[in-house]
Amino acid sequence: MLSRINTIAFNGLETLDVDLQVQITAGMPAFTIVGLPDKAVAESRERVRAALNSMGLSLPAKRITINLAPADLTKEGSHYDLAVALGILACMNAVPLEEISRYIALGELGLDGSILPVNGILPTAIHAHRKKLGLICPAKQGSEALWSGLKDILAAPDLLSIINHFKGTQLIAQPQPAAPKAAKTHLDMQDVKGQESAKRALEIAAAGGHNMLMIGPPGSGKSMLAARLPSILPPLSPEEALETSMIHSIAGALKDGRICTERPFRAPHHNASTPALVGGGRKAVPGEISLAHNGVLFLDELPEFNRATLEALRQPLEDGIITISRVNAHTTYPAKFQLIAAMNPCRCGNLGIPGHECPRAPLCALDYQSKISGPLLDRIDLQIEVHAVSPWELADVKPGESSVAILTRVMNARRIQRERFKRLGAPKLHTNSELKGDLLTEATKLDSDAEKLLINFAAKNNISARAYHRILRLARTIADLQNSENVLKVHIAEALSYRRAAPNRSK
């Protein structure tokens, strides 16, 4: 007896077809799984055995062989349980083989026969839709699968319901869309007292998707400002929402069948390891930079992160992807995030405050700030100093400008950028921070005064070509916020004011 069930394996966001073959032959009783299974897959034998026993079924006293083809692809995870059980049930004529061959099966089995949630339902449903197949998945994740547009979904609570469904004695109801999640109440920019220059820089960062570094003493409001950035960012487009949700589905971060509708805001602690930040580990899972895709990655206390961990950000900051290399596989995840970082000027944080500086000032500041490498700083468009707020500003009861007012300007600037990208034949671009090559040249034509100012600054400060182009992108965003078709000298001047010289020990 031989049966074949469709299931999948994951390589990053890529879904790979797996042909699960079940053969039951005469011989000494045995249950063998082959095809490079990991420990979780190998343990599927006991979960399947217990699940069948809970329904009053027992495995045939014969030789059972499970083959996961292609055999040279490593199979990881517990989501193969359901396919294994269905393959055995098909060989036992408990379910019709022709019927279940039209589905992709994915789910973990409980010892009582229940089907438990697994990671990756959304990308699997999209894959099934593309292959014109149905999907058998856990009941709790049926609403998640619906976001793919797939109609033929069997979201089953347990094995018995699947058997009864195909026998015609019980019909598995179609899953229902999850109720929209209540909109999150974002922190508002009007709560921030003072810091008008920092608010301006944050508005520019939001309008153009630029990276930003804030340097200032403890309690000056750096984290407070960063936490309010989502309140002035435009909502995710449908394409961005689906792509972001696929990453979160692979990571098991989607809850209650709801996809991501708001831009992610990830704020890992500074003791995060390199695999935790960029992805990796035994199963090459997505890291914080991928979970922040299409959103914000906030790194507080930037110099306290491991040096190697920070250096690993350099490539994804440029390319918007991260490739995790292992001996037998290369896994690529999207990682187009907006980096917002904050740090104290020195370890004690009191540099420049009379009577509070440590005896090692200013040498301590040079040592502390030198932990951030020049190549990483080169990739940060806005580098600003956030000064301590005065008691008079704190006592002011008049609220500042609201997030709604700032968001209106940001949305207008984003609209201008989208229209320009369409004219330039690049409709897939979203923000000025993505401009490169000829597109950047076409989008940022400078008049003679602006060009002269930029060239003189670049020559005097010996800035890199990367920094030169980032200044152009930043100036383009500043011009868009002012509804200016051309990039003028004043826009270049403001963009240059956000470039900060690297620490120099010779001073």
Side-chain angles (χ1 to χ4, degrees), residues 378-402:
D378 213 29
R379 289 164 167 81
I380 299 178
D381 306 325
L382 296 104
Q383 302 167 28
I384 66 169
E385 293 190 6
V386 180
H387 300 287
V389 181
S390 70
W392 293 272
E393 290 174 314
L394 289 174
D396 187 5
V397 295
K398 182 181 179 181
E401 191 174 26
S402 70

Side-chain angles (χ1 to χ4, degrees), residues 20-327:
L20 189 145
Q21 305 161 6
V22 181
Q23 186 181 57
I24 301 179
T25 58
M28 292 293 292
F31 193 157
T32 307
I33 300 179
V34 298
L36 284 183
D38 73 347
K39 185 68 172 175
V41 181
E43 290 173 346
S44 176
R45 295 172 301 186
E46 303 307 321
R47 290 191 292 271
V48 170
R49 191 192 310 272
L52 294 180
N53 285 338
S54 71
M55 297 187 298
L57 298 175
S58 60
L59 292 175
K62 295 182 179 182
R63 185 174 188 84
I64 303 174
T65 304
I66 311 290
N67 180 41
L68 303 170
D72 60 347
L73 174 66
T74 302
K75 318 303 187 303
E76 299 175 328
S78 60
H79 64 268
Y80 296 100
D81 290 3
L82 181 57
V84 170
L86 290 177
I88 293 174
L89 289 171
C91 285
M92 297 167 62
N93 296 318
V95 293
L97 179 57
E98 289 185 3
E99 289 291 325
I100 62 173
S101 64
R102 297 189 296 104
Y103 291 87
I104 293 176
L106 202 71
E108 179 183 332
L109 289 181
L111 299 183
D112 59 352
S114 59
I115 303 176
L116 307 177
V118 292
N119 297 350
I121 291 294
L122 180 58
T124 303
I126 293 172
H127 180 71
H129 194 14
R130 192 182 304 122
K131 302 280 286 188
K132 297 182 178 179
L133 296 171
L135 175 69
I136 304 177
C137 68
K140 293 182 178 179
Q141 295 180 291
S143 54
E144 177 183 333
L146 277 177
W147 292 104
S148 67
L150 184 66
K151 301 300 182 184
D152 192 2
I153 301 172
L154 292 182
D158 49 46
L159 267 180
L160 185 59
S161 63
I162 295 177
I163 296 174
N164 291 336
H165 176 85
F166 285 111
K167 283 185 175 181
T169 60
Q170 174 187 352
L171 185 64
I172 296 177
Q174 278 292 303
Q176 298 300 313
K181 189 176 181 180
K184 184 186 295 184
T185 302
H186 290 291
L187 302 172
D188 202 289
M189 291 291 290
Q190 68 181 2
D191 300 330
V192 182
K193 299 292 184 70
Q195 303 298 8
E196 297 305 321
S197 60
K199 291 178 187 176
R200 167 66 176 172
L202 206 63
E203 178 181 339
I204 296 170
H210 302 287
N211 304 321
M212 178 174 170
L213 170 64
M214 295 178 281
I215 304 176
S220 56
K222 305 183 294 296
S223 300
M224 190 177 185
L225 286 162
R228 282 156 178 75
L229 177 59
S231 69
I232 59 173
L233 288 175
L236 289 169
S237 67
E239 296 81 7
E240 289 176 323
L242 186 60
E243 188 177 31
T244 304
S245 298
M246 288 174 64
I247 300 172
H248 285 245
S249 178
I250 290 289
L254 286 186
K255 303 300 181 185
D256 303 323
R258 297 186 176 97
I259 66 170
C260 300
T261 57
E262 297 181 336
R263 295 191 180 275
F265 182 85
R266 308 293 297 188
H269 192 264
H270 55 73
N271 65 357
S273 63
T274 301
L277 198 64
V278 303
R282 186 172 57 87
K283 295 185 179 181
V285 296
E288 291 289 340
I289 63 173
S290 294
L291 294 173
H293 181 63
N294 290 324
V296 177
L297 177 69
F298 176 49
L299 301 183
D300 202 3
E301 308 297 344
L302 189 64
E304 301 297 336
F305 281 83
N306 181 275
R307 177 70 176 263
T309 300
L310 292 180
E311 294 305 300
L313 297 178
R314 286 159 54 175
Q315 180 257 338
L317 279 172
E318 285 292 317
D319 302 334
I321 59 173
I322 180 67
T323 299
I324 303 165
S325 298
R326 298 192 290 178
V327 173

